[in-house]
């Protein structure tokens, strides 16, 4: 505060300094010494008005000051500040309301809105429900209270949502001022809806005053939207003539004059400004207090700070005139009186007096702020005089911006404490969990002050939490003890049962395992002398002890039987791979000298031509259309690999020992022609495979580079895809739809690729499939199954319906050394392989089918005596006929 503002303010500042020199005792202590109330002494040092001489001297005595000196000082100040009755107008009622709205009792001082009031009266006469919208500070409350009410004939009731939740509907006209409080003060949607519905259903006429920025909130209630149709009055800024009436007519009524320069300045500052009326009214009030005789001057207006700074000056001067601890109280009061906006401006809120502590210092602060027209007090509540204070006072804006989350925590705490009190301090209404932790943390911050009700609420919440924790700890401890006891008893009982069952199962399992092992060995011993009986024993061994070994024993036995039953020639197996539906030849045929070892073999799709290569690099093509066979073509150079078009037999691919890959047109078997060469093969090619339809050829070289070629036009082969895997590729297969490519490696890995996008083939899956190198791969025509063969261990069948997550459907142990080709038989579970010794094998992955085929045609069953003979070393077992 600038103590040089006036003699009165300097006098008050010196009184406060005197109290500080006396030890800074509280006003309660000072009142006990001076025999005056703390409020009276605080007012004496507030600078609002000159205290009486008696109060001043009592104050000085209590502070041990010089009484005579202060008496002279008081008389000097009194001579300067106390006005002469014949000079000043009646100061009991200033002509301007300041920040406060004009009430019904101020109707004679309300000017400037005659035109709007006429319009509003017409609307009310035509409609039952009318809303007045306007920005904060546009004068809605004054228009309704001081302007409309005096014009109403009949009973008019003025209320607001903060005053009562149940409006008085027994009136001719109900005016609901500050209707936006329905949204700012009531979080309960049901309560808001009930209030709005009550207004809409009222028999009397209703006028509501709403801040314009809450127009969208009104749209949330469909019935309210319908009622507002053609029933709205928008209150805008005053025009120059209306502003002159607001400035001049109250001054004239108070026997004052206004300088022409001041009128021009005020009109210029206020014209077109939304929400400027309370600021102008406050500036006029401060100018009136600084009047020169009975004249309001431009100098007084500028000294008050003008429209922009008058409120801030008043608020700041009043705040700094308080004691230090009173300033902290004032800060808490203003924060509690402000409702934080959610997408809207911050607004004022009516504060119940019970929310503040009943303390002398609190009373002093409220009285001081109310006298400065910053607050409005009544018997039970407190509120900010006008929301313009929230916008215009920098210190208050700073407080609100410091910790908005903390302010929301305070608001929720206040509401929860009030609810708890209204419910008779019901323990169920106390804070618990995160809400309690958040509230306690907020109260521990610097500068935070809670009310007595809030402190009691938090204390009870903390005590309740401690009690609940103790009870929970006791319950947990008792429960743990009970659980431990039950666990011991259950463990003892369970252990006994498990030991008994385990012993029984182990005995039975060991008995059956031994019997199955013995029967399986008997099956192998009888394989050469009595294959059918051996089959029955193999099946029985699996029934006794089902596992992978006994299952594979059944499947391998079937495969061995088929191999022994028909040792087919290599070209017959190739025919089966090329055309699974064709009836397979069972008569072995011998091609070429018996001492030649075949290194590569190919059969065309029609089964009419047969190509081979041998260890010395000689490549030959055989005509097998008749019973006799003859060589129809011998390649000129050394050939390492050959591959026939498996579908139409029109083309053949031959790989020379120099690495050249040639495509031969075989349309005329008598005159084959080299159609083209697959270029861009910088390294020796070690593998070549046709796609199922004969239109795509897959090659792979010694460095693991895989290429896909389009040979649908033999004379113009086209490179489709190139994959540089840097691995030792040993086998390849392309799906029937050309979308999936399977590759096998020397380390037993199988890799699946999506080659739909030729420019960017994508790896779908890779995994270890075999212990040794992968020898052969084949896709089922549907693309859902993949057969793989390893050099050392097994033939495996994979479900690749989801190529990113292949699942192994079966694996059969057997001799796979020398296998160079694999394909599918009649079903997706029947796999056939061909070996370099000219034999072919059928592997059945459907166990039930294998058993049925092995039992098909069996007429001799094991007798009970034979069964006991085979298992006699183990002991008597249940006898049944597996194929009967």
């Amino acid at each position: 505060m600038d103590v040089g503002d006036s003699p009165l303010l300097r006098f008050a500042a010196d009184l406060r300094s005197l109290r500080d020199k006396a030890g800074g005792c509280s006003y309660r202590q000072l009142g006990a010494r001076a025999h005056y109330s703390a409020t009276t002494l605080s007012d004496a040092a507030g600078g609002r008005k000159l205290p009486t001489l008696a109060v001043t001297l009592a104050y000085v005595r209590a502070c041990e000051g010089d009484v005579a000196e202060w008496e002279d000082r008081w008389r000097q100040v009194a001579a300067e500040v106390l006005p002469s009755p014949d000079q000043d107008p009646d100061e009991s009622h200033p002509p301007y309301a300041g920040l406060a709205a004009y009430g019904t009792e101020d109707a004679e001082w309300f000017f400037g809105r005659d035109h709007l009031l006429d319009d509003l009266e017409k609307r009310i006469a035509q409609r039952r429900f009318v809303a007045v919208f306007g920005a904060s500070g546009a004068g809605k409350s004054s228009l309704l209270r001081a302007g409309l009410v005096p014009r109403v004939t009949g009973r008019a009731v003025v209320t607001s949502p903060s005053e009562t939740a149940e409006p008085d509907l027994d009136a001719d006209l109900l005016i609901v001022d500050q209707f936006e409080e329905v949204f700012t003060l009531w979080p309960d949607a049901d309560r808001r809806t009930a209030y709005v519905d009550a207004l809409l259903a009222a028999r009397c006429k209703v006028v509501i005053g709403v801040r314009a920025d809450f127009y969208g909130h009104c749209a949330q209630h469909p019935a309210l939207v319908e009622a507002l149709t053609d029933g709205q009055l928008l209150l805008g800024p005053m025009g120059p003539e209306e502003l002159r009436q607001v400035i001049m007519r109250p001054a004239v009524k108070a026997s004052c004059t206004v300088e022409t320069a001041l009128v021009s300045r005020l009109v210029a500052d206020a014209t077109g400004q939304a929400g400027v009326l309370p600021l102008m009214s406050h500036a006029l009030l401060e100018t009136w207090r600084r009047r020169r005789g009975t004249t309001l001057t431009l100098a007084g207006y500028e000294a008050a700070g003008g429209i922009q700074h008058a409120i801030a000056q008043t608020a700041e001067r009043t705040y700094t005139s308080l004691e230090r601890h009173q300033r902290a109280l004032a800060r808490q009061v203003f924060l509690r009186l402000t409702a934080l906006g959610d997408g809207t401006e911050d607004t004022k809120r009516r504060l119940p007096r019970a929310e503040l502590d009943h303390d002398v210092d609190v009373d002093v602060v409220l009285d001081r702020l109310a006298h400065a027209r910053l607050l409005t007090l009544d018997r039970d509540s407190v509120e900010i005089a006008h929301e313009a204070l929230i916008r215009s006072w920098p210190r208050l804006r700073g407080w609100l911006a410091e910790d908005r989350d903390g302010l929301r925590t305070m608001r929720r705490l206040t509401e929860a404490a009030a609810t708890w009190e209204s419910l008779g301090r019901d323990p169920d209404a106390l804070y618990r969990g995160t809400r309690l932790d958040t509230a306690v943390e907020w109260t521990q911050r610097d500068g935070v002050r809670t009310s007595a009700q809030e402190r009691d609420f938090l204390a009870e919440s903390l005590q309740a939490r401690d009690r609940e924790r103790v009870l929970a700890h006791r319950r947990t401890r008792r429960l743990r003890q009970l659980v431990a006891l039950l666990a011991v008893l259950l463990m003892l009982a369970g252990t006994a049962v498990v030991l008994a069952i385990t012993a029984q199962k182990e005995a039975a399992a060991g008995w059956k395992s031994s019997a199955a092992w013995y029967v399986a060995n008997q099956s192998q011993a009888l394989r050469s002398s009595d294959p059918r009986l051996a089959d029955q024993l193999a099946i029985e061994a699996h029934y006794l002890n089902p596992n992978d070994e006994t299952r594979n024993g059944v499947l391998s036995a079937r495969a061995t039987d088929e191999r022994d039953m028909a040792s087919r020639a290599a070209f017959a197996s190739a025919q089966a791979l090329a055309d699974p539906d064709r009836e397979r030849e069972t008569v072995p045929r011998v091609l070429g000298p018996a001492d030649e070892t075949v290194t590569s073999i190919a059969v065309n799709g029609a089964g009419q031509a047969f190509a081979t290569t041998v260890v010395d690099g000689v490549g030959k093509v055989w005509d097998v259309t008749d019973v006799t066979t003859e060589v129809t073509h011998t390649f000129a150079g050394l050939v390492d690999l050959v591959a026939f078009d498996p579908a139409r037999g029109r083309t053949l691919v031959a790989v020379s020992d120099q690495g050249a890959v040639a495509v031969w047109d075989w349309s005329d078997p008598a005159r084959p022609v080299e159609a083209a060469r697959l270029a861009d093969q910088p390294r020796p090619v070690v593998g070549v495979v046709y796609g199922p339809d004969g239109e795509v050829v897959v090659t792979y070289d010694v460095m693991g580079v895989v290429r896909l070629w389009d040979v649908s036009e033999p004379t113009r082969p086209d490179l489709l895809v190139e994959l540089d895997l840097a691995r030792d590729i040993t086998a390849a297969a392309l799906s029937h739809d050309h979308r999936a490519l399977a590759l096998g490696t020397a380390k037993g890995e199988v890799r699946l690729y999506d080659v739909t996008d030729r420019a960017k083939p994508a790896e779908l899956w890779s995994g270890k499939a075999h212990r040794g190198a992968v020898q052969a791969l084949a896709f089922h025509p549907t693309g859902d199954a993949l057969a793989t063969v390893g050099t050392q261990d097994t033939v495996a069948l994979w479900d690749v319906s989801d190529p990113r997550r292949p699942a192994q459907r079966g694996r059969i142990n057997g001799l796979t050394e020398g296998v160079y080709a694999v394909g599918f038989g009649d079903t997706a579970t029947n796999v056939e392989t061909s070996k370099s010794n000219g034999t072919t094998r059928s592997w059945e992955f459907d166990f039930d089918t294998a058993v049925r085929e092995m039992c098909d045609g069996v007429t001799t069953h094991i007798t009970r005596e034979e069964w006991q003979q085979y298992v006699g070393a183990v002991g008597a077992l249940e006898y049944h006929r597996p194929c009967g």
Side-chain angles (χ1 to χ4, degrees), residues 98-411:
L99 291 178
Y102 285 89
T104 55
E105 69 280 1
D106 304 313
E108 59 179 321
W109 301 93
F110 181 74
F111 300 100
R113 289 296 194 183
D114 293 339
H115 176 70
L116 277 174
L117 285 171
D118 293 340
D119 187 4
L120 181 57
E121 279 190 291
K122 291 179 182 178
R123 293 177 184 269
I124 295 173
Q126 296 171 359
R127 300 185 58 85
R128 194 190 60 80
F129 194 95
V130 178
V132 177
F133 287 95
S136 177
K140 298 182 300 298
S141 297
S142 299
L143 178 75
L144 296 176
R145 294 174 182 268
L148 179 60
V149 171
R151 292 192 177 200
V152 175
T153 57
R155 183 169 179 262
V157 175
V158 182
T159 185
S160 66
S162 61
E163 293 176 2
T164 176
E166 296 182 359
D168 184 1
L169 304 179
D170 188 16
D172 297 302
L173 176 65
L174 174 64
I175 300 175
V176 181
D177 190 19
Q178 299 176 10
F179 183 77
E180 64 272 4
E181 291 178 347
V182 169
F183 307 105
T184 61
L185 303 182
W186 296 347
D188 186 359
D190 293 337
R191 183 181 182 186
R192 294 198 299 264
T193 302
Y195 189 85
V196 172
D197 291 344
L199 294 180
L200 296 176
R203 295 182 179 179
C204 62
K205 295 198 173 188
V206 178
V207 178
I208 63 173
V210 192
R211 260 180 42 186
D213 54 334
F214 282 84
Y215 190 86
H217 291 68
C218 295
Q220 298 174 3
H221 298 270
L224 182 58
V225 172
E226 183 179 357
L228 292 177
T229 303
D230 297 330
Q232 305 175 26
L233 176 65
L234 181 60
L235 196 61
M238 281 188 171
E241 182 57 34
E242 293 173 320
L243 290 172
R244 287 189 181 92
Q245 293 184 31
V246 171
I247 298 168
M248 297 290 297
R249 295 184 66 176
V252 171
K253 184 175 178 59
S255 301
C256 293
T257 59
V258 184
E259 285 185 351
T260 303
L262 174 58
V263 175
S264 300
R265 175 69 174 275
L266 280 168
V267 172
D269 288 349
T271 299
Q273 300 293 322
V276 76
L277 292 183
L279 301 178
M280 186 178 72
S281 180
H282 181 77
L284 283 168
L285 177 62
E286 292 299 313
T287 304
W288 179 79
R289 288 172 176 168
R290 290 169 172 79
R291 64 194 178 279
R292 184 182 302 157
T294 60
T295 303
L296 279 67
T297 65
L298 178 61
Y301 171 77
E302 292 176 343
I307 288 178
Q308 298 299 326
H309 306 293
I311 294 179
Q313 281 191 9
T314 301
E316 191 67 20
R317 183 171 60 247
T318 305
Y319 174 77
T320 55
S321 70
L322 299 171
E323 303 295 331
R324 178 174 299 177
H325 68 284
Q326 292 175 344
R327 294 175 191 175
L329 292 175
R331 179 179 185 272
Q332 291 299 315
V333 167
F334 278 114
L335 292 179
R336 290 178 180 274
L337 287 171
T338 306
L340 299 181
D342 186 8
T344 59
E345 291 185 353
D346 297 336
T347 59
K348 65 177 182 177
R349 66 182 287 262
R350 186 182 295 270
L351 181 69
R353 188 62 181 83
E355 191 174 315
L356 299 173
D357 289 343
H358 296 287
D359 182 85
V360 173
D361 287 320
V362 174
D363 294 338
V364 169
V365 168
L366 293 178
D367 186 62
R368 195 78 59 80
L369 296 175
H371 187 269
R373 305 296 293 272
L374 301 176
L375 300 184
T376 300
L377 305 179
D378 59 26
R379 186 180 64 181
D380 299 319
S381 63
V382 183
E383 66 177 339
I384 293 176
H386 199 280
E387 290 165 354
L389 178 63
I390 301 175
R391 299 192 303 270
S392 303
W393 189 18
R395 186 185 295 274
L396 178 54
R397 291 204 309 270
W399 290 339
L400 295 173
E402 282 177 6
D403 184 13
R404 296 184 74 85
D405 289 338
L407 294 179
R408 291 188 175 92
T409 299
M410 178 186 70
R411 188 73 64 245

Side-chain angles (χ1 to χ4, degrees), residues 762-775:
E763 181 175 318
L764 301 175
W765 175 80
S766 65
K768 185 76 170 177
H770 297 281
R771 291 196 300 271
V774 177
Q775 292 176 274

Side-chain angles (χ1 to χ4, degrees), residues 409-482:
T409 299
M410 178 186 70
R411 188 73 64 245
R412 289 192 291 267
L413 174 60
T414 300
E415 293 171 355
T419 301
W420 172 67
E421 191 71 37
S422 66
L423 295 176
R425 301 202 167 193
D426 185 356
D428 292 337
L430 294 172
Y431 264 179
R432 288 174 175 81
T434 304
R435 291 191 301 174
L436 177 57
D437 295 336
T438 302
V440 171
E441 187 274 332
W442 172 77
T443 60
Q444 294 172 350
R445 299 179 187 178
D446 293 337
V448 172
R449 181 183 177 92
T450 56
S451 66
Q453 186 181 84
E454 293 165 355
R455 291 192 293 272
D456 291 344
F457 175 77
L458 288 178
E460 286 293 331
S461 297
L462 290 172
Q463 293 176 8
R465 183 175 68 178
D466 292 340
R467 290 193 298 269
E468 290 173 356
R469 287 178 175 176
V470 171
L471 292 176
H473 178 71
R474 290 176 180 174
R475 287 195 297 268
T476 302
R477 184 175 59 188
R478 292 174 182 173
L479 182 60
R480 287 177 178 173
Q481 293 172 347
L482 179 60

